[in-house]
Amino acid sequence: MKSDKKASGKAGQRAQAKELLRLNLGKLSLKSPIVIASGTFGYGDEYLHVRGFSFDDIGAIALKGVTIRPRAGNPAPRIVETTGGMLNSIGLSNIGVNALIEEKLPMLQDLGTHIILNVGGDRPEDLIDAAKALSYYQNYFSAIEVNVSCPNLDGTPIGQNTGTTARVVTSIRKLYRIPLIVKLVPNIASIVEVAGVCERAGADILTIANTFPGMAIDVFKRRPILGNNTGGLSGPAIKPLALLLVHRVYRAVSIPIIASGGITCARDAMEFIIAGASAISIGTALFYDANVCKRITEGLVDFLNEDAKMNGLEQPRPLKDYVGTLVLNG
Amino acid sequence: MAGECTVQQMKLRGNFCHLTLKMPLGFPEPVPGQFIMVSCCPSSDGYLPHSADSPDARFQRFAMGPVNERTTLPRPMSIFDYSRPAKRERGLLTLVFKTLGRGTLQLSQVRPGDQLRFLGPLGNGFDYQGWRRTLLVAGGVGFSGINMIARRLREAGNEPLVALGVNTRAQSPVQLSLTEVPSVYRWALPHTTEPLKLVVSHLFEEFIPSIVTSLYPGDEGAFCGTTCDLVEKLLGANPSYAGDLTLVACGPRPMLAALTAIARHSHVKRYLVMLEERMACGLGTCLGCAVQTREGVLPFEEDGPQEGPTTFKRVCTDGPIFNGYRIIWERLC
C-alpha cells in the first residue's frame, strides 16, 4: 500500500505535470489544449450529470451552434457510422439565440472552464443577426466561434466563398471584443486563401476544420441511409486530411489554430500540435469514450516526459514549445 | 455513469447474443426501459472467428474490410435484465441483441473476463405505478426491451400478458418451451374464439411467460400470425379491456406503426412504444437520434391528434419510451 505522504507527492507531481499543458490560444489562457467541438457537448449541462466525467481536463467548450431562430433540424436517420468515423446530418438543430440567453446563460459559469459561443446560419445575414443578438451577452463567453462551414444546411456553406466569408467576419468583428474564431470549410480549393482572408478581416483564431461532406447508401433499399441524403464525416477517417490542412494553414497565417478532425488519442493530438495547432478539438471521440479527455491529458504528459528523456533534458518542455515544430523532409 | 464493466458470460443462440456484464460498484440500478451504451475497449482482444456458415461470417465477407477494425461509436442496448446486487457486490446486467452489423458482431465475440466500455443507465424508464391491465408486445429482439418491465410488474403483483412475435419458434431471441396456461392470463382469454396456446419462454433458469406468435402454422404452441393479429384478436374479443389497458410495444417499426392503428381503433387508454435509433452520445447532446412527434395534446389521450404542429424528440433523453400515438410513423418506417 502506498503511504499518504507518497500519494500527496504524486498528486503534486500530477498538478505540476498538468502545468506543462497550459498554453495560450491568442489572448486565451487554456489549462489544457483540449477544446470540446461544437455540437458534441450540447450546452455543457448534460455532462454535469455523468458520474465519472471530469471537466478538469478541458481547456474550453464550444457550445452547440445557435441560429437566430430555433431550428428543428433534418429528418431521421441523422447519423450513421462509417469505417473509422461517422456521418451526421443533424442540420443545426438548436434552441435559437433567445432560448440560449434565457435558459442556458445562467448555468454556463458552473462549468468551470472557458465557454465558446458558436453561431451559425443558412445565409450570411442570418449568421450576422445571430451574432448581433448575442453581442450584448458577450461577457458570458471567452470567445465567439463563427461557423461558416456547416455541411448540412441549404445551399453551399458560406465558407466556400471567400468574399462572403470576409464580409461575415468583418461584420461580426465590429460587434465583439472577445476573441473571434472562424470555423473553416475543409473541402475547398484553397483553404490557405480563405484562412488569409479571415485573418485580414479580423479573426483571432481559426478552427480547422469542420466535417467533410459524405454519403452512405443502404444497398438493399438503394437509398441514402441519412434522411437528408448527405452528411458531414467526422472521426479518425478524416484525421490525415485535417492534419494536412492544419499544416498548410499554419505556414500561411500568423493567428493560432484549433485543430479539429479525428483526434482520438494523445499521439493524434501531438501530430496536430507539431503541425501547428495551438489547441485540439475533441468531438466524435467523446462518443466512443466519455473519458477521452482524461486519457489524452495523461497521454500528453507521458509524451512530454518521454520526449525529454530521449533528448537528455532534465525537465520536460511545456507543450506550447512543440507548436509548429514540424521539420519537413528533404 | 461512464466506466468499464467485465464480461461475465456470453451465449450465442442463432444470431442472438446473450451477454451478462458485471457492472462496477456504484452502478445505479436501472429502471425498466432504460438503456446503456456499450463498446469494446481497445484492450479487449476477444475476437474469435465465427464458423464459416454463420450469418455473421456472411456479414463479415460482405461488409468487413481487410482490417477487422473497431467501431467508432458505442451501441445503445436495451437492458434485458438487471440483478440487484447484495451490499458491496457488483450488479449483473444482461443484454440480448441480434448481430446485425460491425458493432454487434464485435460485441458478440467477446469472452468472459473481457472489459467493455459503457455509459449508463440512460434514458427515461417506465413509470408503471398506475398501470392496471398490461399487455406487453415484443417483436423479435424487441423482447430485450420488454423483459425487464415484465419482471418488475410481476414483482409488483401486476401480472402482465407478454406477447412475443417471432418468425418461427426456432428463431426466437430466447429459448421457448410449452407449458400450461397460467390462470392469471384468463382475463385475456375467455371470449376469444380461437384456441390460444401459451408457452413459457426460458432464459437460462429464469422464465418470462408469454404468448408466442409465429408466422408458421406448424409451430406447435404458437399463435399463427403476427403480434398485430394477436392484439387485434384479443382486443376484438374483449372490447371493454381497452379502457384501462396499458399496451407497451417494442420491436420493428412497421409493427409499432400497425399497433398504433389497432390501439387507436380500439381506444386503448395508454399506448407506449420503446423506440430504437442510431445514437452517438446517448446523453442528448448530439441530437442524432431525433424522431418526429406530434404536439398539442396531453400524453396518453385515447385518440392522438392526426394533424397539428410537430417537433423533434431525442430518443436518448426524451425517450426511449414515447406515447405511441404521438409518433409520426410515416417518417420512420
Side-chain angles (χ1 to χ4, degrees):
Chain A
M1 290 296 280
K2 290 170 201 158
S3 72
D4 280 358
K5 204 175 167 188
K6 210 170 173 187
S8 73
K10 271 207 166 156
Q13 269 179 11
R14 215 173 296 140
Q16 216 174 359
K18 278 195 174 171
E19 268 312 297
L20 293 171
L21 303 185
R22 187 170 282 283
L23 45 74
N24 295 324
L25 185 63
K27 281 180 265 174
L28 295 181
S29 171
L30 304 186
K31 65 182 174 200
S32 147
I34 297 172
V35 177
I36 302 292
S38 174
T40 62
F41 211 70
Y43 301 98
D45 45 341
E46 287 87 346
Y47 275 84
L48 284 173
H49 313 297
V50 180
R51 214 191 296 177
F53 184 83
S54 161
F55 282 77
D56 290 348
D57 303 302
I58 297 173
I61 297 167
L63 300 183
K64 172 72 185 170
V66 282
T67 49
I68 185 72
R69 275 170 290 279
R71 283 177 73 100
N74 286 334
R78 288 176 171 184
I79 54 173
V80 56
E81 181 170 309
T82 58
T83 306
M86 66 180 280
L87 287 165
N88 88 74
S89 72
I90 310 299
L92 213 46
S93 165
N94 77 91
I95 58 178
V97 294
N98 289 338
L100 177 80
I101 293 164
E102 283 160 26
E103 295 164 22
K104 303 293 179 183
L105 281 193
M107 64 89 208
L108 292 177
Q109 257 69 350
D110 303 343
L111 300 177
T113 185
H114 287 296
I115 302 296
I116 299 170
L117 170 67
N118 181 295
V119 291
D122 286 296
R123 292 169 303 149
E125 287 68 32
D126 300 337
L127 222 164
I128 295 165
D129 285 349
K132 209 176 271 176
L134 285 159
S135 61
Y136 178 78
Y137 302 93
Q138 59 184 289
N139 289 341
Y140 282 88
F141 307 100
S142 301
I144 176 174
E145 185 172 52
V146 180
N147 179 8
V148 293
S149 47
C150 180
N152 296 317
L153 302 178
D154 296 337
T156 54
I158 296 163
Q160 296 271 16
N161 183 314
T162 44
T164 322
T165 306
R167 183 158 65 84
V168 169
V169 174
T170 309
S171 310
I172 297 178
R173 174 74 284 171
K174 286 180 195 150
L175 299 166
Y176 281 82
R177 295 179 303 277
I178 56 174
L180 192 159
I181 309 169
V182 188
K183 192 164 184 175
L184 299 183
V185 177
N187 55 315
I188 184 168
S190 171
I191 193 163
V192 168
E193 191 188 334
V194 74
V197 162
C198 289
E199 184 182 23
R200 288 191 290 281
D204 299 301
I205 302 161
L206 297 173
T207 299
I208 299 175
N210 212 316
T211 54
F212 286 74
M215 191 184 221
I217 292 174
D218 182 324
V219 292
F220 295 105
K221 292 183 187 156
R222 290 186 233 169
R223 280 169 175 271
I225 293 175
L226 293 174
N228 197 43
N229 298 322
T230 63
L233 180 64
S234 63
I238 66 166
K239 200 202 87 185
L241 306 173
L243 190 61
L244 178 59
L245 296 179
V246 168
H247 164 66
R248 285 199 176 136
V249 173
Y250 178 72
R251 308 234 150 185
V253 300
S254 55
I255 51 178
I257 295 167
I258 304 172
S260 175
I263 299 164
T264 62
C265 61
R267 186 202 175 104
D268 293 343
M270 277 319 299
E271 286 190 57
F272 278 98
I273 287 165
I274 291 166
S278 296
I280 50 123
S281 212
I282 295 294
T284 305
L286 200 60
F287 302 148
Y288 178 68
D289 179 3
N291 294 323
V292 68
C293 300
K294 185 165 179 277
R295 263 199 312 117
I296 291 178
T297 305
E298 289 169 357
L300 286 174
V301 172
D302 287 348
F303 168 82
L304 295 177
N305 286 319
E306 192 63 26
D307 192 52
K309 222 181 280 173
M310 279 170 64
N311 289 298
L313 300 174
E314 274 182 25
Q315 289 290 323
R317 285 180 295 173
L319 185 65
K320 61 177 193 290
D321 288 5
Y322 288 81
V323 174
T325 52
L326 180 73
V327 181
L328 290 180
N329 297 323
Chain B
M1 184 180 196
E4 288 178 10
C5 55
T6 315
V7 176
Q8 169 102 350
Q9 190 178 46
M10 201 281 290
K11 281 191 178 180
L12 288 174
R13 180 187 150 76
N15 55 353
F16 293 100
C17 180
H18 291 236
L19 200 57
T20 306
L21 305 172
K22 204 170 207 176
M23 306 312 287
L25 286 173
F27 179 72
E29 182 179 337
V31 178
Q34 286 191 298
F35 66 97
I36 66 166
M37 307 274 282
V38 281
S39 55
C40 296
C41 287
S43 57
S44 164
D45 64 345
Y47 293 98
L48 295 172
H50 270 229
S51 66
D53 54 359
S54 72
D56 305 328
R58 263 184 284 130
F59 169 77
Q60 225 156 344
R61 278 196 296 274
F62 177 61
M64 299 287 265
V67 183
N68 187 359
E69 94 296 316
R70 289 164 204 287
T71 56
T72 309
L73 300 175
R75 297 294 184 263
M77 299 272 181
S78 296
I79 297 171
F80 181 81
D81 207 355
Y82 182 75
S83 65
R84 297 188 183 108
K87 244 189 182 166
R88 294 175 166 276
E89 291 281 317
R90 298 161 71 188
L92 289 180
L93 186 144
T94 307
L95 305 173
V96 173
F97 58 90
K98 201 172 175 177
T99 52
L100 280 174
R102 190 180 285 131
T104 44
L105 179 66
Q106 284 182 5
L107 286 168
S108 73
Q109 291 170 332
V110 296
R111 286 175 294 194
D114 283 350
Q115 296 284 109
L116 296 186
R117 192 172 281 146
F118 77 91
L119 181 66
L122 302 168
N124 304 296
F126 288 103
D127 177 13
Y128 52 92
Q129 293 309 320
W131 295 5
R132 295 184 61 199
R133 281 181 210 287
T134 309
L135 172 56
L136 308 175
V137 180
V141 77
F143 188 59
S144 58
I146 292 294
N147 180 61
M148 196 169 161
I149 179 66
R151 293 172 65 82
R152 292 289 183 270
L153 281 171
R154 162 182 266 205
E155 283 164 17
N158 178 359
E159 196 69 38
L161 185 69
V162 183
L164 167 64
V166 293
N167 285 339
T168 67
R169 289 213 313 132
Q171 290 174 32
S172 163
V174 287
Q175 219 171 328
L176 302 167
S177 63
L178 288 166
T179 191
E180 287 291 303
V181 180
S183 58
V184 284
Y185 302 123
R186 298 279 179 202
W187 68 262
L189 299 172
H191 309 298
T192 47
T193 47
E194 298 219 351
L196 283 174
K197 288 177 196 161
L198 286 177
V199 294
V200 173
S201 70
H202 282 268
L203 169 69
F204 313 135
E205 300 81 37
E206 306 160 19
F207 69 96
I208 284 296
S210 35
I211 299 175
V212 172
T213 76
S214 164
L215 298 178
Y216 288 81
D219 258 337
E220 199 190 344
F223 170 87
C224 182
T226 64
T227 48
C228 299
D229 296 334
L230 176 78
V231 172
E232 213 164 12
K233 195 148 273 179
L234 289 177
L235 291 174
N238 312 284
S240 59
Y241 290 141
D244 64 351
L245 180 70
T246 300
L247 177 61
V248 179
C250 183
R253 285 173 178 177
M255 178 192 102
L256 301 179
L259 282 175
T260 308
I262 295 166
R264 185 172 277 147
H265 178 75
S266 310
H267 296 276
V268 170
K269 179 183 167 195
R270 194 183 278 138
Y271 173 52
L272 301 175
V273 293
M274 247 179 112
L275 288 187
E276 298 180 295
E277 185 52 89
R278 294 166 199 271
M279 288 181 194
C281 73
L283 294 165
T285 64
C286 77
L287 312 178
C289 60
V291 292
Q292 214 167 356
T293 60
R294 284 225 193 278
E295 289 277 271
V297 284
L298 292 168
F300 313 134
E301 281 201 358
E302 279 183 10
D303 289 293
Q306 306 291 324
E307 285 174 26
T310 67
T311 181
F312 280 106
K313 295 274 185 203
R314 295 163 293 188
V315 173
C316 65
T317 46
D318 298 319
I321 295 143
F322 289 92
N323 179 343
Y325 296 131
R326 284 182 179 244
I327 303 289
I328 303 173
W329 295 108
E330 312 85 82
R331 299 285 173 88
L332 284 182
C333 294

